[in-house]
């Protein structure tokens, strides 16, 4: 089914920084399994995010909060294997899930190390502003690159009162600017800006030496990230304004499965070309074994004619 492709030059955190300096846009997509990882890598994405959005688009929760560290490691490892099959050009970053880095810097380092060692990611992403600068500094000093994430931070959904655009007034915008600077100073190599006004994202992008990756943050970020299921049109529910569907694979998948169901019902599938034959095979005739034989040969249900 699969073959190992020729390894390509990997995108590193340094390459992402070079891209910003050169004005080259950075394309990031989420993935949660090996097949998706192979497809998006072959399509030329610069980075893959194993997002804790897995909790919503794969696990069916209505927030990212129930996702565990073990689940993130499981999905990251699957994505890493898919990347190895495709040649593995894309940079791989994995989300630190809710509760895995908030309690202490020691715990954050321990859990980030598991994401790298067991999940195979090259970097971790964690949500939060300047309050997390110390934690981020500790993880970075442990040798693990950290991508920051500010603006709409889904793990704080209850504190934000819903999935709402952040930084819309001057005071809140100033706070986000301070957060962005603090995270760069703490050692982040890139920063996700989620659902903030495009003007604010443009300003922050101009202030930082590290690349900004936007989602619902306008066109002036150094890169963009979209959730795999959103960009391919797998999600049928509410479509946020910032999502553009580049395909309608949800409809295509339903139509394909319906075609299969119809053909099974109409006895059209499997056809001759889907069947195996063995001309030398003699037909089997079911023979009821005698009671004493049945005890001796409990597995025998038939004998050649
Ligand atoms: O979990 C996720 O997919 C994310 C992106 C939307 C940035 O954090």
């Amino acid at each position: 089914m699969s073959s190992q492709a020729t390894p390509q030059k990997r995108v590193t955190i340094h390459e992402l920084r070079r891209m910003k300096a050169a004005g080259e846009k950075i394309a990031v997509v989420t993935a949660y399994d090996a097949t998706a990882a192979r497809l998006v890598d072959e399509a030329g994405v610069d980075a893959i995010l194993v997002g804790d959005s897995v909790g919503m688009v794969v696990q069916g929760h209505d927030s990212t909060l129930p996702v565990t560290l073990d689940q993130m490691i499981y999905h990251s490892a699957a994505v890493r294997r898919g990347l190895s099959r495709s040649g593995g050009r894309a940079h791989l970053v994995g989300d630190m899930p809710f509760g895995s880095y908030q309690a202490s810097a020691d715990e954050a380092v321990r859990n980030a190390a598991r994401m790298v060692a067991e999940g195979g990611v090259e970097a971790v992403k964690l949500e939060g502003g300047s309050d997390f600068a110390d934690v981020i500094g500790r993880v970075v000093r442990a040798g693990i690159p950290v991508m920051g994430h500010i603006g709409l931070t889904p793990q704080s959904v209850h504190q934000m009162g819903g999935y709402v655009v952040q930084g819309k007034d001057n005071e809140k915008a100033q706070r986000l600017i301070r957060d962005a600077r603090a995270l760069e100073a703490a050692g982040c190599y890139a920063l996700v800006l989620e659902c903030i006004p495009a003007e604010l994202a443009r300003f922050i992008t101009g202030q930082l030496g590290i690349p900004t990756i936007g989602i619902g943050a306008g066109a002036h970020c150094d890169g963009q990230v979209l959730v795999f299921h959103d960009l391919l049109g797998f999600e049928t529910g509410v479509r946020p304004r910032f999502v553009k569907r580049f395909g309608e694979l949800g409809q295509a998948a339903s139509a394909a499965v319906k075609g299969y169901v119809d053909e099974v019902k109409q006895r059209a599938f499997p056809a001759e070309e889907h069947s195996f034959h063995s001309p030398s095979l003699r037909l089997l005739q079911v023979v009821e074994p005698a009671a004493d034989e049945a005890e001796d040969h409990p597995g025998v249900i038939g004998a050649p004619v």
Side-chain angles (χ1 to χ4, degrees), residues 103 208 228 234 305:
L208 302 184
F228 181 82
F234 279 118
V305 175

Side-chain angles (χ1 to χ4, degrees), residues 219-283:
H220 298 288
C221 296
D222 299 302
Q224 298 291 326
V225 56
L226 276 180
V227 167
F228 181 82
H229 293 62
D230 289 339
L231 95 82
L232 292 178
F234 279 118
E235 287 296 297
T236 51
V238 184
R239 189 191 316 186
R241 179 188 170 89
F242 58 81
V243 168
K244 176 174 176 183
R245 289 185 181 173
F246 289 83
E248 290 297 342
L249 270 61
Q251 283 173 14
S254 289
V257 176
K258 186 173 181 316
Y260 161 72
V261 171
D262 290 348
E263 289 204 8
V264 169
K265 303 278 184 198
Q266 292 157 11
R267 298 173 166 74
F269 176 83
E272 193 48 35
E273 68 265 31
H274 307 117
S275 305
F276 300 103
H277 295 286
S278 173
S280 63
L281 194 68
R282 289 187 299 153
L283 290 177

Side-chain angles (χ1 to χ4, degrees), residues 158-178:
H158 298 311
Q159 203 166 45
M160 292 181 305
Y163 298 102
V164 283
V165 178
Q166 302 292 303
K168 281 171 82 173
D169 64 46
N170 279 332
E171 198 188 319
K172 291 189 176 116
Q174 289 298 331
R175 170 83 220 215
L176 285 171
I177 294 165
R178 282 198 297 274

